Amino acid sequence: MSETSVRPDPVMAEIGRGMELGQRGERDAAREVFAGVWDRLGADGDPFHICALAHSMADVQDDPREELVWDLRALEAADLVSDERARLAGVASPVAAFYPSLHLNLGDVYRRLGEWDLARAHLARGLDAVGTLGDDGYGQLIKGGLDRLAQRLAERSGDPLSVPPSDPLSDPLSEPASEPTEVNGPASG
């Protein structure tokens, strides 16, 4: 059995270009790049590409409600990505390692929208998945972000991991936020 080599992926290269623009603070330009990729992929495109694109597009949104839409899209797409597909794209870790970052981002955006129960639920899911991360810089970044999110939620309620008895993730937009906050969230991955 021969090893499958990683082939250059023009979609991922374009997503990478958008990420670089976003990291340089060129958020409008990054959104334009990501919108162009989304126009070509559509909602039925390759889940790996959609996950990467949506995760990155969320990071350059100015409106937290738009950020939430993209974060939810990324999470939904991740559920459809196989470890084999990720490996073919050059990702060394299993898909399970995507989830701490995805839940960190969702927990933080829900926190900023004042959706405390949803924020705590995603924090709990992120913490449950944190064992999939390595002890490298990326793993430390995400773990630190989850720690900061837990601290912010604890400051508000005194109990960051209390999750209501019903599953609030079944209808994430059921109740609009009544007291949105304008605090920058933890670094996202």
Side-chain angles (χ1 to χ4, degrees), residues 1 9 22 24 42 57 81 84 140 177-178:
M1 185 156 129
D9 184 333
R24 289 196 315 245
M57 178 68 115
V81 178
E84 176 65 13
Q140 293 301 316
S178 58

Side-chain angles (χ1 to χ4, degrees), residues 72-158:
L72 288 169
R73 236 177 231 150
L75 181 63
E76 182 179 308
D79 290 340
L80 303 174
V81 178
S82 69
D83 287 339
E84 176 65 13
R85 172 61 182 102
R87 189 182 66 72
L88 290 173
V91 177
S93 60
V95 173
F98 294 6
Y99 289 95
S101 178
L102 294 169
H103 287 296
L104 167 60
N105 288 357
L106 279 160
D108 184 58
V109 76
Y110 278 127
R111 178 193 62 81
R112 287 183 282 125
L113 289 167
E115 298 280 355
W116 309 111
D117 291 339
L118 290 168
R120 283 187 289 276
H122 280 286
L123 171 62
R125 288 181 175 195
L127 291 171
D128 285 347
V130 82
T132 61
L133 296 173
D135 197 27
D136 56 7
Y138 175 75
Q140 293 301 316
L141 175 75
I142 300 306
K143 291 171 189 175
L146 288 164
D147 288 346
R148 285 187 299 280
L149 177 59
Q151 181 179 6
R152 287 177 175 151
L153 292 172
E155 288 168 357
R156 181 190 183 277
S157 70

